[in-house]
């Protein structure tokens, strides 16, 4: 298996192709973007930011990195990897794959490490500078970008596969950058995901969001799987990291976070819906 960085990048200001020039990427209109010392490229224009530091904080990224690198979500990573392998089994060319909302890069690293016979061209994008920085420090093989799913800095019709794992899908953008027949693989939390932790930190659980009534424009459903398993955390630090890496840390009331902080051990349900959609 070979892994190389994906390079069909688009200028986030005018959508024209970006070309590498030493440690800078430029478009024909002379917009330029430097490669950071750690190896990532910031393609999120200031005018597209809703805050000074959008996305996950440095502390959330560190918690997620500790939790994932400890192997707690390895079964999820393997399920995602297997979905990619099944979708492109027998492909003799290079499979270009974007992790849209890559966080600190765990799932792309697991995909790249698999002995799956695929030649991969990988790119990870996250709106958090701290997440992209952590990803770039851990693996130099993919292309790492600071950017937004709402305006992907990628040329149209250049991707074979998009991963959107516990993230924020922007289907019209995904359809724009995928090749016809390309695959979108999503991982979404099921109704029982982390239920035991949520029961501890919230006074009452909210009702589940209704299921999507229609397939997103430009896509057809290709398959669904549900991953369901118990996860036992035997150290308070791991419980704290699990909470800190989720939006629940900020949504939960102070007394709920205090109850979680007092736990010595916790068994939670991991329930993940894996959905495969094909670009029409």
């Amino acid at each position: 298996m070979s892994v190389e960085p994906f390079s069909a990048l688009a200028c986030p200001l005018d959508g024209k192709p970006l070309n590498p020039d030493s440690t800078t990427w430029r478009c024909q209109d002379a917009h330029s973007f430097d490669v950071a010392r750690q190896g990532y490229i910031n393609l999120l224009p200031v005018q597209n930011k809703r805050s000074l530091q959008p996305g996950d904080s440095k502390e959330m990224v560190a918690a997620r990195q500790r939790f994932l690198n400890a192997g707690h979500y390895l079964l999820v990573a393997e399920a995602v990897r297997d979905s990619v392998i099944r979708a492109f089994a027998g492909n003799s060319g290079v499979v270009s794959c974007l992790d849209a909302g890559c966080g600190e890069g765990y799932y792309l690293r697991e995909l790249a490490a698999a002995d799956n016979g695929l030649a991969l061209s990988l790119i990870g994008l996250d709106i958090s500078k701290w997440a992209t920085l952590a990803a770039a420090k851990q693996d130099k093989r993919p292309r790492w970008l600071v950017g937004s799913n709402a305006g992907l800095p990628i040329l149209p019709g250049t991707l074979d596969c998009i991963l959107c794992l516990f993230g924020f899908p922007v289907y019209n953008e995904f359809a724009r950058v995928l090749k016809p027949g390309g695959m979108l693989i999503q991982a979404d939390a099921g109704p029982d995901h982390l239920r035991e932790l949520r029961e501890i930190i919230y006074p009452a659980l909210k009702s589940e969001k209704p299921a999507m009534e229609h397939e997103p424009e430009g896509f057809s459903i290709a398959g669904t799987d549900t991953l369901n398993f118990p996860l036992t955390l035997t150290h308070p630090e791991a419980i704290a990291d699990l909470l800190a890496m989720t939006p629940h840390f900020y949504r939960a009331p102070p007394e709920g976070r205090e109850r979680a902080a007092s736990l010595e051990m916790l068994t939670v349900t991991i329930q993940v819906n894996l959905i495969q959609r094909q670009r029409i």
Side-chain angles (χ1 to χ4, degrees):
M1 181 192 68
S2 64
V3 178
E4 62 184 41
F6 178 82
S7 296
L9 305 184
C11 176
L13 299 174
D14 58 24
K16 295 179 180 178
L18 285 175
N19 296 297
D21 180 9
S22 184
T23 58
T24 301
W25 287 69
R26 292 187 173 88
C27 75
Q28 65 187 52
D29 289 340
H31 300 128
S32 62
F33 305 89
D34 294 333
V35 179
R37 175 175 53 85
Q38 297 86 355
Y40 69 91
I41 311 168
N42 193 328
L43 295 181
L44 182 64
V46 173
Q47 58 267 37
N48 291 353
K49 292 183 178 182
R50 296 184 178 181
S51 63
L52 186 62
Q53 295 285 352
D56 290 346
S57 67
K58 188 176 183 179
E59 292 74 22
M60 288 181 72
V61 170
R64 183 175 292 111
Q65 183 172 326
R66 289 190 298 266
F67 187 87
L68 294 176
N69 285 352
H72 297 305
Y73 272 21
L74 180 59
L75 290 178
V76 180
E78 290 176 342
V80 171
R81 176 203 65 197
D82 292 346
S83 291
V84 175
I85 293 172
R86 286 196 303 269
F88 296 97
N91 191 305
S92 59
V94 177
V95 176
S96 53
C97 182
L98 162 71
D99 188 348
C102 64
E104 50 73 66
Y106 174 71
Y107 295 101
L108 272 193
R109 289 197 305 276
E110 290 297 318
L111 176 60
D115 184 15
N116 53 36
L118 295 177
L120 298 171
S121 176
L122 299 180
I123 178 170
L125 175 144
D126 202 281
I127 200 169
S128 166
K129 180 191 76 172
W130 300 113
T132 311
L133 173 62
K137 284 183 175 180
Q138 294 180 89
D139 195 336
K140 303 299 182 185
R141 292 172 296 176
R143 184 86 59 203
W144 301 109
L145 305 179
V146 179
S148 171
N149 287 357
L152 294 170
I154 294 173
L155 294 175
T158 54
L159 287 170
D160 296 298
C161 182
I162 293 177
L163 308 178
C164 186
L165 311 174
F166 307 103
F168 301 95
V170 183
Y171 293 107
N172 61 324
E173 272 295 277
F174 291 172
R176 181 183 66 83
V177 299
L178 276 171
K179 300 174 183 177
M183 295 297 298
L184 167 61
I185 298 173
Q186 291 179 246
D188 296 323
D192 287 330
H193 187 61
L194 305 183
R195 173 176 288 274
E196 296 83 358
L197 177 61
R198 291 186 285 124
E199 288 175 342
I200 291 169
I201 63 175
Y202 294 120
L205 298 186
K206 294 181 179 179
S207 58
E208 297 299 320
K209 294 181 180 179
M212 186 182 297
E213 292 185 3
H214 307 286
E215 280 301 299
E217 185 176 355
F219 289 94
S220 62
I221 196 74
T224 59
D225 298 287
T226 297
L227 189 66
N228 201 321
F229 62 92
L231 173 66
T232 299
L233 303 175
T234 57
H235 299 286
E237 295 81 7
I239 299 170
D241 283 342
L242 173 60
L243 180 56
M245 76 182 210
T246 71
H248 299 301
F249 184 80
Y250 296 101
R251 296 173 183 168
E255 56 271 22
R257 294 198 298 270
E258 290 175 6
R259 288 193 294 270
S262 69
L263 297 173
E264 296 290 330
M265 185 177 73
L266 176 67
T267 297
V268 293
T269 298
I270 305 301
Q271 187 180 71
V272 180
N273 296 323
L274 279 176
I275 307 164
Q276 301 89 40
R277 292 186 164 97
Q278 189 166 33
R279 175 73 168 92
I280 299 172

